[in-house]
Each structure stands twice: as C-alpha cells, then as structure tokens.
Amino acid sequence: MTSPRWRSDVAAPAPATAVLTPAPAMTDVRLSPAALAKVWIGEGRPHETIAVPGVVLAAGEALVQVELATVCGSDVHTVAGHRAAPMPLVLGHEYVGRVTALGAEGARTVDGSRLNIGDRVTWSIFAACRSCDRCRRGMPQKCRALRKYGHERVEAHWELTGGFATHVHLRAGTAIVRVAEELPGAVLAPAACGTATAWAAVAALDDVVDLDGAVLLISGAGLIGLTATAIATERGARVIVSDPDPRRRQQALRFGAAAVHAPGEDLTDVIAELCESEVHAVLEASGARSAVLAAFDAVAVGGAIALVGSVFPTEAVPLDPERIVRTCLTVRGIHNYAPRDLVDAIAFLRGAAGRYPFAELVGAVLPLSELDDAIALARTGEHVRVGIDPRR
C-alpha cells in the first residue's frame, strides 16, 4: 500500500486559507508471474506481447484474472482495418474471470453487494463516470467520460485494458456482475457484449410492440441474432431469422426460430406459413446495407425496427420520412447497453442455458499466444465465436 498523497484545494489566494485533504489511497498490486497482454499495433501486423508486473488500483477498482475471452465481430473488423481504433490497443471486450485484487474501499457489483476476492464475474464493456448529464439520464453507455474495454489506447498505469490478456484492470464505474460457478465460460463470456446487446434490442422492441404473439424478423444469425432469437422466443414471439448462410439458418432453428429465410427470397411465403400477413418488428443485427433497407420494406404499420449491426461505416440508406410518419414507425438504434441489460442477460442465461445450445457457439478455444490465429479463424465465419483461454 502506498502512503497517502496530498493535494491543495486552495480557493483563495492567501496561503493561510489552504486546506489539505488526503487524496484517495492507492493499492499497489505486484504480479508474479507478470500479467501478459496482447497488443494490436496496426493492420497487417501481428500482435505483440507486453508484460505488466504490477498495477495500481484506485478506490472502487478491481483486478480480474481472465478465464475466457471471445473474439467479437468488431475485433475482427478492427484488425482488418474496417474500424478506426487507437494504437497500441489491447482488444477483447467479451470475457469472464475471477477477482484477484481490490482497490481501497473495495468494489461493488451492480446490485450494490460488496465484491470479494475469488468471485467469478463478468463486467460491462465500459466504465462510466455516473455523474454527467447522460449518466444521470440513464444512458451511462454514452457517458461523456466513457472508457471502453478493448477499445482504449494502452497508457501508463492502465495497460490491462482489454480481454486479450491474462488480467483486466477494472475501473470504477464498471458494471460488475457476479456469475454462477456452474455456467460454462463459453456461455458467459459473450454476455459482456453480444448477449447483453441482444437483450437490450429485444427489450427496446418489446417496449413498442408487444412481442407476445408478434412476428419478429431478425436479420443476421451471428451471436446477437441467435441470442435475440432465443430471448424473443421466450417472450412469446414467432421469430423469422434471415441469413445467407444455410448453416446459420439451421442454428437459428435450434435457438427457437419459427422459420428461416434466405435474403433475396420472397419473405411473403415465410410469413404466410406462420398464418400471418405482416412482420410486426425487425431486429437488424447484420449491419448489411441491404438488410437495413429490407427492414424498412418488411415492417408493418405501427411496427418497430431496432438497428444493432450497423457499427462500421457503410453507404448511407435513403430515408422516406413520410412513410415513417404515416405508418407510425418506431426506429431505435441500440449501441452497447445499460448495466441493467447485462444483469438481465446473465439472469436469462442462468435460466435458459439448458434449453438452447449457447455453449456450442464458441466453436474453438485457443491460447492467448495464438491470438492472431484465433482472429483469423473468427474471420472465416466457421464458428459464431472463437475463444481465448489465457490460462493455457
């Protein structure tokens, strides 16, 4: 433990009015062996390994040893040069791990309970200040001082910023959720991004269109699309999943889809098979421009569209404001999620993991030393997710 530091909170020019206030205590954590992190240094270049022999934890912070991280599609897009990102960068924002150290005053989970050494946890993709106008309005995922795991440039005193490492340094303002020991890491790791985002998107649609008995079209059978299929099915929706890959369409049926559809084929016949004449809501999870256009064409009067997959630059789509007005259409953009969504997503997994093959979505697990191979494998689309086990 370092000795307390002191700062001067001088408000007036006269030195006699100075009030000395102890700065928050910091906790030095020495790691033996040193923590290791894989650092991305640019398109076309292999990741480099850095050793971090210790961290300094401020009040409310925690150090977590990573059990499993998974390669998200946005990691693949970043490495391929399709997304702007700061460098050097430790990627990885889907993870599960175990608490190994705590800062002064400890840290707390989202529900307010005290975090303990040894707790198995997952955590939000971001840390928020909790005090800016956006945080106060209930949008901490868009905090004005947002720090995102797997998205920040490596800096002094915060090197362990992403999941592709043996440890992650959690900042104050992170939504931490304690998770069950019996749930596989392959089920839990994607929750920090894909699962929680799927939950937020389905919940947003359900706020507008009662999904119980409704027809929901989901475009894209990646992790978000497949997970949203199961979530919406549990809410009583009849889900149509559209994806160009026949293997993914078959997976969608195992996650509760009532029907599947290949883009470019007539959707009318698929809807008729469900004894319906229209689609009440659309969740667009692919990011493909054609799928976004198809969403606006497919949705019924009074319907809702949740756009989730458009997280990389594409050509703009034309917007017909008159149609939106006359059809009373609701369009929601879902980027990241609120802490409550992560809590609810974990609760959903705890109850539904036995009914749907979530663990099978992580089709291969490689050691941290083979991160470049793991990202290359993820790029092929052979598996919905590729895992990284830093303990191997």
Side-chain angles (χ1 to χ4, degrees), residues 14-357:
T17 62
V19 178
L20 297 180
T21 305
M26 311 292 279
T27 303
D28 290 314
V29 180
R30 297 299 161 193
L31 297 169
S32 181
L36 300 177
K38 284 289 190 177
V39 178
W40 181 67
I41 55 175
E43 181 185 354
R45 303 176 66 180
H47 282 73
E48 293 190 355
T49 303
I50 61 171
V52 182
V55 297
V56 178
L57 300 179
E61 296 186 344
L63 184 68
V64 176
Q65 184 173 14
V66 178
E67 172 189 330
L68 184 73
T70 44
V71 180
C72 179
S74 62
D75 296 318
V76 174
H77 293 149
T78 297
V79 171
H82 299 157
R83 291 163 52 104
M87 294 177 286
L89 170 64
V90 180
L91 291 162
H93 53 269
E94 295 183 340
Y95 27 52
V96 61
R98 203 168 292 277
V99 177
T100 60
L102 295 167
E105 304 173 14
R108 294 186 180 274
T109 64
V110 173
D111 64 9
S113 63
R114 187 171 293 278
L115 205 60
N116 301 306
I117 302 295
D119 282 349
R120 191 175 186 229
V121 296
T122 189
W123 58 98
S124 58
I125 193 175
F126 61 87
C129 74
R130 300 177 177 173
S131 60
C132 72
D133 58 326
R134 292 176 182 172
C135 287
R136 294 196 306 271
R137 287 167 48 211
M139 293 188 66
Q141 66 269 41
K142 293 299 171 184
C143 171
R144 294 190 183 277
L146 194 73
R147 308 300 297 273
K148 291 185 70 175
Y149 298 100
H151 294 74
E152 302 287 344
R153 189 180 190 276
V154 170
E155 60 186 54
H157 308 302
W158 197 36
E159 297 88 357
L160 301 173
T161 59
F164 298 154
T166 59
H167 298 71
V168 179
H169 177 171
L170 305 192
R171 307 296 291 264
T174 302
I176 304 172
V177 180
R178 192 178 286 108
V179 296
E181 295 288 344
E182 62 270 16
L183 281 178
V187 173
L188 290 168
C193 178
T195 312
T197 301
W199 182 274
V202 173
L205 291 173
D206 209 6
D207 283 344
V208 180
V209 177
D210 183 359
L211 291 181
D212 189 7
V215 176
L216 169 64
L217 172 64
I218 295 180
S219 298
L223 189 132
I224 290 177
L226 292 171
T227 303
T229 299
I231 295 170
T233 297
E234 293 288 313
R235 292 184 180 220
R238 288 171 291 171
V239 181
I240 302 170
V241 176
S242 180
D243 195 281
D245 187 337
R247 296 174 305 164
R248 295 293 180 90
R249 296 198 296 270
Q250 287 302 307
Q251 281 182 307
L253 294 173
R254 299 180 66 200
F255 279 84
V260 293
H261 168 257
E265 295 182 354
D266 190 353
L267 185 62
T268 305
D269 293 340
V270 180
I271 299 171
E273 290 177 7
L274 301 180
C275 301
E276 288 286 345
S277 60
E278 57 189 8
V279 169
H280 305 107
V282 182
L283 192 159
E284 204 305 290
S286 73
R289 182 177 184 271
S290 59
V292 174
L293 290 169
F296 282 92
D297 289 339
V299 72
V301 170
I305 298 173
L307 299 177
V308 181
S310 301
V311 291
F312 49 87
T314 60
E315 184 182 349
V317 299
L319 182 68
D320 182 355
E322 182 186 10
R323 180 172 183 271
I324 292 175
V325 170
R326 291 189 181 279
T327 59
C328 300
L329 181 63
T330 299
V331 181
R332 287 284 305 272
I334 304 296
H335 187 230
N336 301 334
Y337 50 82
R340 186 73 241 173
D341 295 314
L342 179 58
V343 173
D344 290 342
I346 294 296
F348 167 76
L349 290 174
R350 190 168 57 245
R355 296 193 292 276
Y356 303 98

